[in-house]
Structure formats: C-alpha cells, structure tokens
Amino acid sequence: MHEYSAWDDERASEIITPWCTVEGGMLPALHALMAEFGAVPDAAVPLLAQQFNLSCAEIRGIISFYHDFRSTPPGRHVLKLCRAEACQSMHGATLAENLLARLGLTWGATTTDGALTIEPVYCLGLCAVAPAALFDEVPQGRLDVARLDRLVTAAR
Amino acid sequence: MSARVFLPIDAGALALGADDVAAALAAHASARGIALEIVRTGARGLYWLEPLLEVARPEGRIAYGPVSAGDVPALFESGFLDGAAHPLRVGRPEEIPFLKRQTRLTFARCGIVDPASAADYEALGGWRGLKRALALGAAASIEEVVASGLRGRGGAGFPTGIKWRTAAAAQADRKYIVCNADEGDSGTFADRMIIEGDPFVLIEGMLIAGYAVGASKGYIYTRSEYPHAIAAMNRALAAARAGGFLGADIQGSGFSFDLEVRVGAGAYVCGEETALLDSLEGKRGVVRAKPPLPAIQGLFGRPTVINNVISLASVPIILAEGAKHYQGLGYGRSRGTMPIQLAGNIRYPGLFEAAFGVTLGELVNEIGGGTATGRPVRAVQVGGPLGAYFPPALFDTPFDYEAFAARDGLIGHGGVVVFDDTVDMAAQARFAMEFCAVESCGKCTPCRLGSTRGMEVMDRIREGREVEKNIALITDLCETMKFGSLCALGGFTPYPVISALTHFREDFTRATARHAAAE
C-alpha cells in the first residue's frame, strides 16, 4: 500500500532540482515525483519547464508520451493486470474483463472507495506463470477467479 | 545443527509464493533450533517446479518442488535437510531432463549463484572473461567477439562484434555502452532472469564492452514493470563498486568505467534502440531515422554500443572460453546458444538455453510437454508481439534466424508463446494492431495511422462485413506498414496479422455466414 504526499510546489521543486544537472535526468525526476505524490499533475509542468529550461509544451509532450505518468494519484492499492499474449493464452483477458465488470471499472479507473486501481500492463516478464499481475509491486502468478478475489478483498 | 538451503528470489518464483516459503522455513528452523542459512538465488527456469527449494548436500544440491509454505512442516518432518525422500523431492536439479538437455553458457550460474554477492560470482568462475580481455587488449577482445559469431539477442540479430568495431573506430570525447534491458516482448523473461539471478555477468559483459571500445560510462535501461530486477541490479552495482569492479582504475588495470540503472516508464517502443536512446536522454521515446548509426552517433550524440542484456551477458563466457568454443555450437549463421523462453499455455514453461537448431516442434511438444490445459496446440507465437504465429504444420522449423525468416517469421528475443485450440486467431490479429496503436511512437505514418485503421478493418472482418474485400484491404495495409514504417514496431506488426491470416484463414471468414444470415 502506498501513502502519497499531497501536492506541494516547494517539495516538488526540491525533488526536481538534483536531476536537472544529471545527464538525461528528466525520467528519473518524473519517477521521483511519482514516488512522492503518486502522480505528475499539471502543477508540475511549469516547475519542470523552468528547472530543465524547456517549454511547458515540451514537458507535457514527455509526460504524456509515457503510460506510467498519471495526472492524479491512484487508489491505495494498485493491481497491474497483464494484457499481453502469454497471459491471453491462459485466458487472462476473460479473467480481467470479468473482474472489471464485477467492480464496475474501466482500465485505469479506481473503485469509488479509493481502495483499488486496476491498470493494464503489457508484460511483466511472468509469462511462464501466466496469467500474471503485480499487486502493489508483489508479483502474482497463475491467477484465477479465487486468487483475484482474495487480492480485491485484501485491498478493501 | 546448521544447514544451507537455496530458494529463488526471482519474480516468477515470488509470484508463486517463494517469500511465504522463505518465511515458513525461517520460522520452523528457529522453532527446531536449526541454524538455517537461506540463500536467495535466481531461478533455474523450471517454472512448473517453482518455488524450487534446494538443499546443499556433500553430494551436491537436492531439490524439492513446487513447495508451498504449507509443505514446510512436512519437509522438516521427513528430513529434507538430509536430502531425504518426500513426495516433492525431485533429486539433483542437473538431472531433471528439462535442464539436462540444455547447454547453459549464458545462464550457467543462474539459479546457482547468490545474485547479491560479488564473492560468490568470482568463486563460480566470474570475472575470468574480463581478466582475459584485459590481457588480450581492446582490439583483440573485439576480434574475439567477432569470431564467436555472436549476434544481437534482442531480436535484430546484427553481429555484436561488428557493432563494437564501428564504435571503437569512431573518434569522440566520450563513448557509451547502453544495455537494452527494456524487455517488453510478451513471452520473454530471459533478461529479467539474468538480472535477478546473475547480474554480475551483465556487469562483466558491459565492462568488457566498455574496455573494448573505449567507453567510460554505461547505462542499463530497464522497465518500470521489473521492480525486482531494478533492485537486484542496483544491489549488484553497489557490490561491484565496493569490490573495485566499477569506478576508477578497475582492478589496477588503468581502465575506468561506471554503470547506472535507468528506468523506462511503460513505453514498449523504447525497446527499439534509437527510441531507447531518446528516452535515456530524457525525451519522448521517439524512433530516430538511421543513419547515423548509434555506434557512430548515439547517446547524447556520442558513439554508443547498444546491446541487449543477453548479448552482453554472453560476452564473458566467450572471452573466458575463447571464440571457438562458442562458435562451435549452433546452426547455419546462428552461432552459439540461445536462451529460449517457453511461455503461455505450456505444460513445462521456463528457460531453455540450447544451441541454435532445435526445432519448434521439439521445443513445444517434447521439451514443453504440449499445452498446460491439455488441449491440442493450435498456434505458437515466436518472437514476441511482433512475431509470426506458427501452426503445428511448421513445427519442423529449426530455431535459427534465417530459417524463421524464410518462413515469414522471426525468432526475436526468443519468446515462444503457446496457444491451445480455443484461441481465436482473428482476435489475435486484431490485438496485434491494437497493441501497435497503443504503443506507436507516432513518428511515421504507416505505424501511427496504419495500426488504428488496421484495428478497424479487423473489427469489420470479425463482424463479417465484406470479409473478402476487407481481407484484401488488411493485406494491402500490412504491405504498407511492413515496407513503409521506420522501425520494427510498425514494420513487424504485419507478421502476427498476416501469419494468422495465412495459417488460420477460417477464423477470419467464420463471421461471414453469421452476418449473411442476420441480413
């Protein structure tokens, strides 16, 4: 389970500063913001632009290019379900669709109680134990309805 | 009493409860007053047996698997620490047929060595390649890699040594070694296994590359989807630095080199080498047009060797044993061994390193034991999401770059994903287009627009609308994408689509009758 800080310009600037002088420091800076705030919100754009000496448009372009960078924090728990071929071959797609339908969610959405976000992921390298997922960064293999239910219960 | 056991910390083993087993082992040992050392290794790659618990015995290791936390009390009761009989006992791991049939060069230590210990790496034959390279000199080390016949294991199969020669000849104020650990292909996990199981072999390979071409800095670009690999790599880098294998004047050789891990952010296209370089520079991961080649103008405009994890991890054994040893194995122009990854709906999933030339049928049926569901095998996708689907009729195809190309396929990074007869191949073709649409970097039109149009055409085919016309259209679109795209994402997405159409046409025309009946 992740505890994220509420957005704070000053704290965000402190996080960004050391990466400005590092070769290719943009992605590490964005990951560091994600780790602290669970998101890279719009408020981060002018701060990044100023410190990296780039335009706001360029910063937006970078953030929006990568699937990982969310604009709002996820729920207290995150379940990353693999949608790629190896998991499809073990009927992962049906498993995922049924779970989303049962929770009334779409990919990337969070349950109304803020407990669980379900994100799509294309391959976790767990293709030998498909269908697979990461639950708060803990790998989960050979998923079935019962195991998924246990994870959802654990999240709530 | 004291004892030593080995239990994988590999993400695949963790996914099956290895940490719970470790906790149970520790608790029961302490309750019984046994001083138990639990060494967390990588995985051997026999995933149907994970978590695979091994006990150190004078005669060698004795394995038990698959072990769950609930099995631990009974294992102690039966005396597993003495290698005693138990229903889960599988004996010496080396004698398990799946492992015995392999030729492990790159993965020789994976699952055996402690991935956090530089000393253990050295004790198991590590750093011999680096020492020989330093003794040979830079130019001769490159020629050794050229002579080995090693080709890029990321998928493109370009000769590694030739890349190195080009970068070595380029003049610049600094040069880089970049390890492409952005292993995004579904069905592949060899990079993850090496990084989690034997990260020092990658460090050694990168050191040799750096020394050979005159680079001072290296980056390992890996995936945010691999949190355990990131942690394992960082642990190993710290240990290597502490042991004097990274930093200034490595082992008194006068050669200085350092390494850093960088993490991607969920973009598949960043596994394409030029997109990876842009991403490392902190930009959008957009593909670059070639030339210039990265070996001449790569990261930050400097000469850069960019190689896959497995290419780099194969270098130490090549230097240590000599090029001939490696070159002597293989098939046709594919020399040495390939870590093949058996995945998806397969009875014995795992890592199978073997000399090139083993046939697809041997891999799927004999070694892999057919499907996990017990149903007939219908299709096998080789080489990740951009690889072709092969029907059992093509199972005589030998695992070799050229043989797969001759049958309109590719071996890619060595992933083999098996599907049973419940698969809908038109749905798989549609997914290939969808994946390309989601992951396209947007630079070239055939990929950016073609993938979305391809998805729409596949939807019409699956609904049974003007099927023959739409099949002609998707075939034409695939031609455009194949020859007009800038990189392999747009260029190879046609492989799964066209192979599905060629070998499983009935799945594309099935909806026709249904649609006609409805009208």
Side-chain angles (χ1 to χ4, degrees):
Chain A
M1 186 171 138
H2 294 281
E3 294 283 354
Y4 296 112
S5 312
W7 182 260
D8 174 350
D9 275 358
E10 209 170 307
R11 177 79 193 110
S13 289
E14 279 170 26
I15 290 169
I16 297 165
T17 302
W19 293 110
C20 295
T21 47
V22 170
E23 273 188 343
M26 180 64 76
L27 258 65
L30 294 171
H31 278 303
L33 289 174
M34 287 287 295
E36 177 80 13
F37 304 109
V40 184
D42 271 354
V45 174
L47 301 179
L48 287 158
Q50 199 202 356
Q51 295 215 46
F52 279 91
N53 197 23
L54 292 169
S55 72
C56 284
E58 284 170 298
I59 300 292
R60 274 183 221 282
I62 296 164
I63 295 171
S64 63
F65 183 86
Y66 296 97
H67 300 304
D68 280 6
F69 302 132
R70 308 175 54 95
S71 54
T72 53
R76 293 191 294 281
H77 299 274
V78 177
L79 180 65
K80 292 182 180 178
L81 273 175
C82 180
R83 297 189 70 188
E85 288 89 340
C87 288
Q88 289 170 16
S89 77
M90 291 301 281
H91 309 292
T94 315
L95 206 60
E97 279 158 27
N98 289 346
L99 179 69
L100 288 172
R102 206 150 41 80
L103 296 174
L105 295 179
T106 52
W107 286 111
T110 304
T111 52
T112 47
D113 58 3
L116 178 66
T117 302
I118 299 188
E119 291 185 344
V121 63
Y122 293 96
C123 199
L124 296 163
L126 302 173
C127 321
V129 296
L134 270 186
F135 182 71
D136 293 340
E137 304 219 325
V138 181
Q140 308 288 333
R142 292 189 204 135
L143 286 173
D144 53 24
V145 177
R147 289 200 59 177
L148 269 181
D149 274 348
R150 278 204 294 278
L151 293 176
V152 171
T153 311
R156 293 181 142 174
Chain B
M1 173 186 179
S2 71
R4 194 165 190 232
V5 298
F6 305 87
L7 184 72
I9 196 168
D10 172 280
L14 296 182
L16 301 173
D19 274 349
D20 295 339
V21 175
L25 284 169
H28 283 269
S30 110
R32 287 162 181 267
I34 299 166
L36 186 67
E37 186 193 354
I38 305 172
V39 181
R40 301 303 296 267
T41 61
R44 300 248 191 190
L46 288 64
Y47 282 99
W48 72 97
L49 288 175
E50 291 293 350
L52 186 66
L53 175 63
E54 298 178 17
V55 186
R57 299 290 309 149
E59 67 272 26
R61 294 187 190 179
I62 300 295
Y64 297 81
V67 176
S68 71
D71 296 321
V72 169
L75 281 167
F76 274 101
E77 284 303 319
S78 62
F80 86 108
L81 290 176
D82 301 317
H86 183 277
L88 296 178
R89 189 182 190 275
V90 289
R92 290 174 53 82
E94 298 80 10
E95 298 301 319
I96 299 170
F98 187 91
L99 208 48
K100 202 172 184 178
R101 265 186 94 159
Q102 302 192 35
T103 306
R104 288 216 163 178
L105 300 182
T106 310
F107 278 77
R109 271 177 299 264
C110 193
I112 299 169
V113 74
D114 178 351
S117 163
D120 204 27
Y121 180 67
E122 186 153 23
L124 288 168
W127 309 119
R128 282 190 304 137
L130 176 65
K131 281 172 190 151
R132 176 142 183 270
L134 293 172
L136 279 176
S141 297
I142 294 177
E143 291 319 306
E144 198 75 1
V145 176
V146 173
S148 75
L150 177 67
R151 294 166 69 178
R153 298 290 188 246
F158 188 82
T160 305
I162 305 293
K163 249 188 205 181
W164 289 21
R165 257 191 208 157
T166 311
Q171 298 298 316
D173 60 338
R174 59 183 195 272
K175 299 178 188 178
Y176 294 99
I177 307 297
V178 173
C179 170
N180 185 344
D182 197 40
E183 185 177 50
D185 285 358
S186 176
T188 68
F189 44 85
D191 297 355
R192 180 187 62 68
M193 277 185 66
I194 273 289
I195 293 174
E196 290 172 359
D198 191 12
F200 293 101
V201 79
L202 177 56
I203 296 174
E204 186 179 353
M206 291 185 77
L207 279 166
I208 295 169
Y211 171 70
V213 308
S216 52
K217 170 97 197 192
Y219 289 99
I220 298 155
Y221 184 98
T222 189
R223 316 174 63 220
S224 60
E225 294 89 339
Y226 280 9
H228 302 83
I230 296 165
M233 198 69 234
N234 279 322
R235 262 197 309 274
L237 290 180
R241 213 168 279 127
F245 283 96
L246 285 175
D249 190 21
I250 290 161
Q251 303 295 306
S253 65
F255 166 57
S256 300
F257 190 79
D258 216 333
L259 277 173
E260 205 181 306
V261 175
R262 285 294 171 88
V263 181
Y268 173 76
V269 75
C270 289
E272 196 284 333
E273 61 177 11
T274 62
L276 188 154
L277 293 176
D278 264 27
S279 183
L280 254 184
E281 291 181 5
K283 304 172 187 162
R284 291 161 66 88
V286 172
V287 174
R288 299 177 185 174
K290 285 191 274 195
L293 295 170
I296 292 164
Q297 215 176 306
L299 188 63
F300 302 108
R302 302 307 198 289
T304 302
V305 165
I306 175 161
N307 284 145
N308 172 257
V309 173
I310 301 302
S311 312
L312 288 163
S314 299
V315 166
I317 188 87
I318 290 169
L319 265 298
E321 299 293 329
K324 269 214 172 73
H325 176 250
Y326 197 80
Q327 206 276 339
L329 296 163
Y331 180 97
R333 287 171 50 211
S334 307
R335 308 315 306 170
T337 59
M338 181 77 192
I340 298 163
Q341 298 123 84
L342 303 176
N345 194 341
I346 190 161
R347 190 165 169 206
Y348 301 123
L351 185 112
F352 193 85
E353 181 178 352
F356 285 95
V358 56
T359 68
L360 188 53
E362 286 174 87
L363 286 169
V364 173
N365 291 326
E366 288 174 34
I367 296 156
T371 63
T373 48
R375 301 183 67 95
V377 174
R378 178 138 189 262
V380 178
Q381 189 178 29
V382 182
L386 308 176
Y389 286 99
F390 279 69
L394 296 180
F395 273 10
D396 61 338
T397 314
F399 216 86
D400 161 60
Y401 292 100
E402 280 69 33
F404 267 74
R407 287 184 162 177
D408 296 318
L410 48 103
I411 62 171
H413 185 47
V416 173
V417 177
V418 179
F419 291 79
D420 70 15
D421 62 349
T422 59
V423 68
D424 173 354
M425 294 306 294
Q428 296 308 118
R430 197 237 183 234
F431 177 79
M433 285 291 184
E434 180 189 353
F435 183 70
C436 182
V438 171
E439 299 296 341
S440 176
C441 83
K443 180 148 176 166
C444 71
T445 317
C447 174
R448 184 182 67 246
L449 297 185
S451 52
T452 299
R453 294 292 92 83
M455 215 160 75
E456 294 162 0
V457 176
M458 279 312 305
D459 281 340
R460 288 201 290 275
I461 291 171
R462 295 185 66 217
E463 286 161 11
R465 292 173 199 280
E466 299 183 288
V467 167
E468 289 307 320
K469 254 173 87 176
N470 279 311
I471 285 179
L473 188 58
I474 196 105
T475 307
D476 187 57
L477 176 64
C478 282
E479 285 286 294
T480 304
M481 288 177 70
K482 186 171 175 183
F483 295 105
S485 299
L486 198 53
C487 83
L489 179 51
F492 290 178
T493 291
Y495 277 106
V497 178
I498 294 297
S499 60
L501 180 61
T502 306
H503 304 301
F504 307 94
R505 197 183 173 93
E506 61 276 21
D507 286 15
F508 288 66
T509 53
R510 187 168 298 131
T512 317
R514 225 172 31 235
H515 187 69
E519 283 182 348

